[in-house]
Amino acid sequence: MSETMHVSFNLAADLEAALKTAASAAGFDTALFAPDVRTADPRHGDYQANGVLAYAKREKQNPRAVAEKLLAALPPELLARYDAAIAGPGFINLTLKPSALLNWLNAFATAPALTAGASTAYAGQTWVVDYSSPNTAKQMHVGHLRSAVIGEAICRLLAFSGAKVIRDNHLGDWGTQFGKLIYGYKRWADADALKREPIEELERLYKLGNDATPADSPALEEARQELVKLQNGDPASVALWKTFSEVSQRAFDEIYTRLGIRFDHYLGESFYNDKLEPVYRELTSLGLAEESQGALVVFHPEHPRFAKQPFIIRKGDGAANYATTDLATALYRAEHFKADGIVVVTDFRQGDHFEQLFLTVRKWFEKTSRRVPALNHVTFGAVLGENNKPLKTRDGGTIKLKDLLNEAEERALTVVTAKNAERPEADRFTEAECREIANVVGIASVQYADLSQNRSSDYVFSWDKMLALEGNTAPYLLYAVTRVHSIFRRGNLGAPGSDALLALEKTATPPETPNEIALARKLVHFSDALATATTTLRPHFLSLYLYELAGEFSAFYAAEKVIVDAPSIRARRILLCSRTLLILETGLHLLGLRTLQRM
């Protein structure tokens, strides 16, 4: 059996287990000792175990003496892979030896090997991710961008980590707006416009219907009757509603295709209409819901904010609301999909709603002996213009997402065309190639500008910054990928990942120079960035890692010639280039970006 078959993908988790075993051998109370392994500042090593300090304080012992006991109990096989040292009052720094770096790089030499290594983290788990969720009969606008790209990245991270991921687009496809839309449709529909630009026409009709039905007007009563007919299953009304839904989904799918997003289900609010009554009955019979001023509500007296702020699950007029539908949705996902985890991606303004919802779900499921999935509300801030106000068109209107993506591609094409003109004539791209590059770069720039930010923060949307070839941008990372591809082309080395190249890399010796070692160490920390991004549901941790990896590769490439005469040096530098390419492309694909071989 080869040595590399024993290499752990997640070295931090491997160290946690090894240090726990060593603590037992050193006589620690392992029920109280947690190694607390974290990635270290590169100046001090690869990993740092911080748990000694807390344990020593609890046991009223000298931290450094405790650290020395733990260090003395480390098994020889661990010390064969790491240099270990005590720092400060009792931190244990662990630095991978060059041979261990090489073993990891050989063990995870291909995309399937990386996938197999990563997939143990969430193996056997089912996660439902609810994201995007636009409203039927309305165009997607810039406000829908963050949920879509963050949600897709989270799906890819979970799936890569071994989870079965169910992508559910919980459309806003039911409610009072449809009465006004049907009212407007019957009076002002333009058949040609419906064929030419159907979603735009439906928006126009809704606006006309809404403007024509002011409060307490006879027209508003007519719109309400249209809604009643729809809710009662009137065939003509239902047929219209289905048409609106189909038209909308086609328009949404055009956007999703451009962003590389797909869904397994479109279970909108309408899907849960016949599943609401059991929610009322069960919550009432359990004593969780009660009547208050005619409405059915749930109180959470133990919560400082919600003790007197009711969670209304049925309005005073008997109508359902978002809370009702969301409770039915949580039950369906838990029972039908057997979800171990549920992620809902919306903006921060819905924080209170989902906090009350999840409190209610936990109490409900616990009282009925249902398994409670991990419930996660993934929130995000706003997209701001360069004036630090919500991003708008020049005339103050909402920017349509389709128009934003079009502009991204056109701006990228301007940059690509200008750069192409600077290339030697024999090496220039065709116009079609320029457009394809611009398509990838433009869309990736929009996605990455969002995903490189901590999702909890607002961020400023700047075309100049996001399309720049310098800094933490998509063009910078895409260019790093193409630069590695160019090394293989110019050196006639064959395709990265090919059997011939992998055989050559097997002859590589451990990294030796400071730049080789620094790049190898950064590559090995891919698993840590992946674990952090996935467990926190924050893709920006992976974005930051990829940016730092590209920078480390740039420093390596500037200092070390790859195609040299000495076979062992050439092999190890080619290996470092191969793994950089593999991990950059893998990471960018996990974020939902497409990559290029030339640009």
Side-chain angles (χ1 to χ4, degrees):
M1 188 175 289
S2 72
E3 185 181 8
T4 57
M5 290 186 73
H6 300 288
V7 178
S8 170
F9 176 74
N10 190 325
L11 294 174
D14 200 38
L15 277 173
E16 280 277 341
L19 289 169
K20 197 86 168 170
T21 301
S24 178
F28 291 17
D29 183 345
T30 52
L32 299 175
F33 176 69
D36 189 17
V37 174
R38 305 177 188 181
T39 53
D41 183 315
R43 293 171 298 176
H44 306 311
D46 290 295
Y47 297 99
Q48 187 175 78
N50 299 333
V52 164
L53 275 71
Y55 180 77
K57 183 179 179 181
R58 190 182 295 111
E59 297 296 295
K60 297 183 172 55
Q61 296 181 24
N62 179 287
R64 194 163 182 97
V66 172
E68 287 170 354
K69 282 177 67 177
L70 184 60
L71 210 61
L74 292 177
E77 57 268 23
L78 185 71
L79 294 173
R81 292 182 283 130
Y82 291 91
D83 290 318
I86 300 170
F91 301 111
I92 296 178
N93 290 336
L94 296 133
T95 305
L96 282 155
K97 294 182 177 181
S99 59
L101 293 169
L102 179 64
N103 284 343
W104 195 95
L105 295 173
N106 277 329
F108 303 102
T110 64
L114 278 181
T115 303
S119 64
T120 58
Y122 285 73
Q125 297 185 33
T126 297
W127 283 67
V128 177
V129 183
D130 170 346
Y131 63 113
S132 191
S133 307
N135 289 321
T136 293
K138 293 183 180 178
Q139 292 189 76
M140 291 176 72
H141 55 75
V142 69
H144 293 109
L145 176 66
R146 300 206 75 181
S147 178
V149 298
I150 293 169
E152 179 63 22
I154 286 171
C155 287
R156 293 181 182 216
L157 288 166
L158 287 166
F160 191 72
S161 300
K164 175 187 176 184
V165 175
I166 297 169
R167 293 161 158 89
D168 187 9
N169 196 346
H170 189 72
L171 298 171
D173 65 350
W174 201 247
T176 55
Q177 73 268 28
F178 286 97
K180 294 180 178 182
L181 176 56
I182 293 172
Y183 180 93
Y185 180 91
K186 288 184 173 180
R187 285 158 179 79
W188 302 294
D190 181 328
D192 290 337
L194 279 167
K195 289 178 182 177
R196 190 174 61 252
E197 293 184 316
I199 195 80
E200 289 85 349
E201 175 64 1
L202 291 181
E203 271 196 328
R204 184 184 75 87
L205 294 173
Y206 171 74
K207 187 175 186 307
L208 289 171
N210 188 53
D211 291 346
T213 53
D216 300 321
S217 67
L220 180 60
E221 184 54 35
E222 283 189 61
R224 284 177 178 155
Q225 289 308 309
E226 294 288 5
L227 179 61
V228 169
K229 286 195 290 183
L230 174 61
Q231 291 172 333
N232 290 338
D234 172 69
S237 301
V238 170
L240 272 181
W241 174 80
K242 285 183 176 177
T243 298
F244 301 156
S245 297
E246 288 164 4
V247 161
S248 300
Q249 188 162 323
R250 284 197 294 272
F252 299 154
D253 284 345
E254 288 180 10
I255 299 287
Y256 296 140
T257 298
R258 295 176 73 178
L259 292 170
I261 293 172
R262 65 170 184 82
F263 289 95
D264 300 302
H265 300 282
Y266 289 84
L267 302 180
E269 293 165 9
S270 63
F271 178 78
Y272 296 97
N273 275 342
D274 61 353
K275 299 172 178 60
L276 305 182
E277 280 300 326
V279 174
Y280 301 137
R281 287 198 305 270
E282 205 165 289
L283 289 175
T284 303
S285 68
L286 292 169
L288 288 172
E290 60 187 81
E291 292 277 349
S292 177
Q293 298 179 22
L296 190 63
V297 305
V298 176
F299 285 104
H300 297 287
E302 77 289 354
H303 195 283
R305 286 202 324 282
F306 303 143
K308 295 183 179 180
Q309 180 181 324
F311 187 52
I312 301 172
I313 66 170
R314 187 179 63 204
K315 294 190 285 188
D317 61 4
N321 61 4
Y322 286 130
T324 327
T325 305
D326 286 348
L327 286 166
T329 302
L331 180 62
Y332 185 82
R333 288 169 176 167
E335 295 196 330
H336 180 77
F337 293 130
K338 304 289 190 291
D340 297 287
I342 296 171
V343 177
V344 182
V345 187
T346 76
D347 73 63
F348 69 95
R349 292 172 297 180
Q350 297 185 43
D352 276 6
H353 168 79
F354 280 100
E355 192 173 350
Q356 285 180 293
L357 174 74
F358 290 165
L359 277 170
T360 305
V361 168
R362 289 187 187 101
K363 291 178 181 178
W364 176 22
F365 284 18
E366 285 164 3
K367 279 181 175 285
T368 53
S369 300
R370 293 184 175 101
R371 187 169 60 94
V372 182
L375 300 169
N376 300 272
H377 182 211
V378 167
T379 60
F380 52 82
V383 183
L384 306 177
E386 295 190 71
N387 58 0
N388 281 310
K389 295 180 179 178
L391 190 63
K392 299 282 186 182
T393 60
R394 285 191 178 87
D395 60 5
T398 301
I399 297 176
K400 297 177 177 64
L401 190 47
K402 179 174 68 175
D403 294 342
L404 185 80
L405 298 181
N406 289 342
E407 184 169 357
E409 290 186 28
E410 287 305 314
R411 284 176 177 264
L413 182 60
T414 300
V415 175
V416 170
T417 302
K419 294 286 184 186
N420 192 45
E422 297 170 5
R423 298 168 71 94
E425 191 168 349
D427 196 34
R428 286 180 189 165
F429 297 112
T430 65
E431 184 180 345
E433 287 171 330
C434 285
R435 287 200 170 274
E436 176 57 24
I437 292 168
N439 172 271
V440 171
V441 171
I443 300 298
S445 296
V446 171
Q447 293 168 302
Y448 191 82
D450 193 308
L451 294 168
S452 60
Q453 310 292 324
N454 184 333
R455 59 172 169 76
S456 298
S457 306
D458 298 342
Y459 79 94
V460 174
F461 190 97
S462 164
W463 287 116
D464 290 342
K465 286 181 182 177
M466 71 173 57
L467 289 168
L469 272 168
E470 301 82 30
N472 190 8
T473 66
Y476 173 74
L477 288 170
L478 293 175
Y479 181 69
V481 168
T482 63
R483 189 160 59 157
V484 185
H485 274 293
S486 73
I487 293 170
F488 290 95
R489 279 197 308 273
R490 291 201 312 270
N492 294 314
L493 299 172
S498 66
D499 290 343
L501 203 54
L502 288 170
L504 171 65
E505 292 165 8
K506 285 291 185 184
T507 68
T509 53
E512 293 182 11
T513 70
N515 289 104
E516 289 173 354
I517 291 170
L519 179 55
R521 290 175 67 191
K522 195 67 187 179
L523 288 164
V524 165
H525 285 296
F526 171 62
S527 63
D528 303 305
L530 175 68
T532 302
T534 307
T535 55
T536 62
L537 303 175
R538 292 182 182 275
H540 80 277
F541 285 114
L542 178 58
S543 301
L544 177 61
Y545 166 81
L546 295 173
Y547 172 58
E548 291 174 348
L549 173 60
E552 207 68 72
F553 176 78
S554 185
F556 157 80
Y557 190 58
E560 316 284 11
K561 187 177 179 182
V562 174
I563 310 301
V564 295
D565 292 334
S568 62
I569 298 175
R570 184 169 66 245
R572 72 172 183 254
R573 291 181 182 171
I574 288 170
L575 179 145
L576 288 169
C577 291
S578 287
R579 298 304 174 273
T580 299
L581 179 61
L582 172 65
I583 289 176
L584 280 176
E585 289 189 325
T586 299
L588 288 169
H589 294 159
L590 287 174
L591 294 174
L593 278 64
R594 288 180 291 157
T595 54
L596 296 159
Q597 293 192 14
R598 297 176 69 213
M599 66 178 278

